[in-house]
Amino acid sequence: MADPATYRPAPGEIPDSPGVYRFRDEHGRVIYVGKAKSLRSRLSSYFQDLSGLHQRTRQMVTTAASVQWTVVGTEVEALALEYSWIKEFDPRFNVKYRDDKSYPYLAVTLADEYPRIQVMRGAKRKGTRYFGPYAHAWAIRETVDLLLRVFPVRTCSAGVFKRARQQGRPCLLGYIDKCSAPCVGRISPDDHQQLAQDFCDFMAGDTAKFTRRLTARMKEAAGELDYERAARLRDDIATLQRATEKNAVVLADGTDADIFALAGDELEAAVQVFHVRDGRIRGQRGWVVEKVEDITDAELVEHLLQQIYGSEAAAGDGGAGSSAVPREVLVPVLPPDVDQVQTWLTGLRGSKVSVRIPQRGDKRELAATVHRNAEHALVLHRTRRAGDLTTRSQALQEIQEALDLPSAPLRIECYDVSHNQGTYQSASMVVFEDGLARKSEYRLFTIRGPEGQGARDDTAAMHEVITRRFRRYLAERSDARDVELGGGEDDDGTPLRSGPIDEVTGKPVRFAYPPNLVVVDGGPPQVAAAKAAMEELGIDDVALVGLAKRLEEVWLPGEEYPVILQRSSEGLYLLQRLRDEAHRFAITAHRKRRSKGMTTSVLDGVPGLGPARQAALLRHFGSVKRLRAASVEEIASVQGLGERTAAAVVAALAAPGVATDPVPESAGMLDA
């Protein structure tokens, strides 16, 4: 680990101008590339006290052994140069984009003497016009098969084309009029080139002119009484309409936009983009982004635009830049230097490009749809990652090694507390066994506090939850007649049950299984509170850690410094899933209690007083305040109420504490 002070440049050496900088390690490899409006200001921020740096930034500057910079004239030049160097050096600490699949494009090889229509994946080639990306290759082939009737452009490979030329006989498509057969000279190179260009214009959204052209020719043929040719042209028009209908109209005609959305957490995010051309969704694309650098959503959007449009422009032929960059780029968060990004994109397109957040109307609704797709993609990515047995085993092994546990933690319990300014305090316990959620073992707690009014703070709440959980464990373990967790065999070879069993239901007792590892949501204070609770009960054989959300640090009891797991660690990913699930479960219970508390009346618990009688009382007296001041006789005078019920109402309203949190514990919450 290098000391940044050993390679820190003198302040006077760094220019106060826009530029791009590169951090290199001891072997000279570039590990990070960044840009700045002021190199002096930006680089100075990396050499402050290490304790003030983000954990990932701290790791980067201590891995580096030198820093270099290049001065440029404008911030737009810095943006372009940063992208170029990220592509060239692939620095390990820059944000990584993993395309969630290799998306197919519809490609037209305009640079060839006889252009060809085909499906292409991978890197872009010069002289080729691309449309898409599409979700499936068959969607491209269906569209092409329809359009070849009107635009019979060559689709065969170079080998097939050469063989047909040598034989002087076209392929099957030439015989059924889905190819103009340039291989045998039925069409000149210039005419075939124009045919391919017309196909590209139609795919780019200029559909109306072709429909008008064919309609005029159809009417002309009908006027000449050439009904056979008119019928063919009529069918061609219908073909163009069917091809157009395959792309649903989602925005006003002429809308030319790319719509982006992000969904993620501290370590990774899913990115989705819908390509809308001429008001139609022409393609969809997605990535999973690893946040290997300390980066905000705004900076992530800026890097994303660099990656997408920079790679499109790098392929650049005559018209590729303008087709790749739309007139509008709709993003969830504006990049930090939005003016410079717009200038850069305008230069790539050759006309003005607007980068903005959709505020209302159809574009905002479509942006919400893209965001839902991003959320789904992230869930799918996590599900696939969590469902793999090898990955789960690796995660448990990494946790064992990082925490120095005697064995892999096959049962992990995670606890979280949720409340609203101290009210409706709820806590959750989620259980993962063998790296998978065991939802039947989840539990909810209502935090009571020493006086029944809730805990004073989160640490007191955590102490109460851990105490109640393990007190039940100790009680159920001592009461059970069967053996405890551990298994084995009896003298006659009969397997012993894996834990205490309820004699009535025959099912395992709810809290009789001790966890191998307890995880609490929080840092040292929450860990200390949980540790104190376990020590008070004599629990010394269960490991305990806390996971702090801000920097994803793993805290052990009594340790001054946290355990830092690698950001790509499967162990850290499993701990995050535990923490997020505990948070979700706790906040759901809290919201349920809060919602119920807001609609609970002090009259709900009065015997014999149902909703109809409550409504009658409030109609008669006008408010609970007036009802509280009424006598038994006055209440009994209300139609439908007798003296006994009236006396119960007066007693309920006079009881102390009726204004406190009236919500009882639900049946699913622990009452220990």
Side-chain angles (χ1 to χ4, degrees), residues 274-413:
F274 280 14
H275 302 283
V276 179
R277 299 295 183 269
D278 195 27
R280 296 169 174 85
I281 298 177
R282 299 290 184 179
Q284 174 187 1
R285 199 173 183 184
W287 296 264
V288 176
V289 181
E290 294 182 359
K291 297 182 181 179
V292 294
E293 55 178 307
D294 178 21
I295 191 170
T296 64
D297 284 349
E299 293 169 327
L300 186 62
V301 167
E302 182 175 277
H303 284 296
L304 178 63
L305 299 183
Q306 279 183 288
Q307 294 283 337
I308 292 179
Y309 298 120
S311 61
E312 298 283 356
D317 61 275
S322 60
S323 66
V325 183
R327 287 192 294 269
E328 289 183 285
V329 176
L330 305 180
V331 294
V333 183
L334 289 177
D337 301 319
V338 63
D339 293 337
Q340 282 68 39
V341 172
Q342 287 184 146
T343 303
W344 176 60
L345 293 176
T346 297
L348 293 180
R349 177 179 171 82
S351 59
K352 183 173 177 58
V353 177
S354 170
V355 179
R356 63 186 183 86
I357 302 173
Q359 298 294 332
R360 62 182 68 85
D362 293 339
K363 292 178 181 177
R364 182 173 181 178
E365 290 180 8
L366 186 56
T369 300
V370 182
H371 184 261
R372 286 194 295 272
N373 277 267
E375 291 178 327
H376 175 73
L378 185 63
V379 169
L380 184 62
H381 166 72
R382 289 175 170 173
T383 302
R384 288 174 175 171
R385 186 174 178 181
D388 181 66
L389 177 60
T390 303
T391 302
R392 298 202 312 270
S393 300
Q394 179 185 347
L396 295 174
Q397 184 178 358
E398 288 178 359
I399 293 175
Q400 176 189 352
E401 294 173 354
L403 304 182
D404 195 22
L405 302 178
S407 60
L410 298 182
R411 180 184 170 103
I412 308 176
E413 295 178 1

Side-chain angles (χ1 to χ4, degrees), residues 28 57 70 168 251 294 399 485 603:
T57 306
T70 299
L251 297 174
D294 178 21
I399 293 175
L485 185 65
L603 302 175

Side-chain angles (χ1 to χ4, degrees), residues 473 482-489 495-500 512-514 516:
Y473 158 62
D482 296 284
V483 297
E484 297 176 25
L485 185 65
E489 292 184 350
L496 296 175
R497 282 172 285 191
S498 59
Y513 295 102
N516 302 109

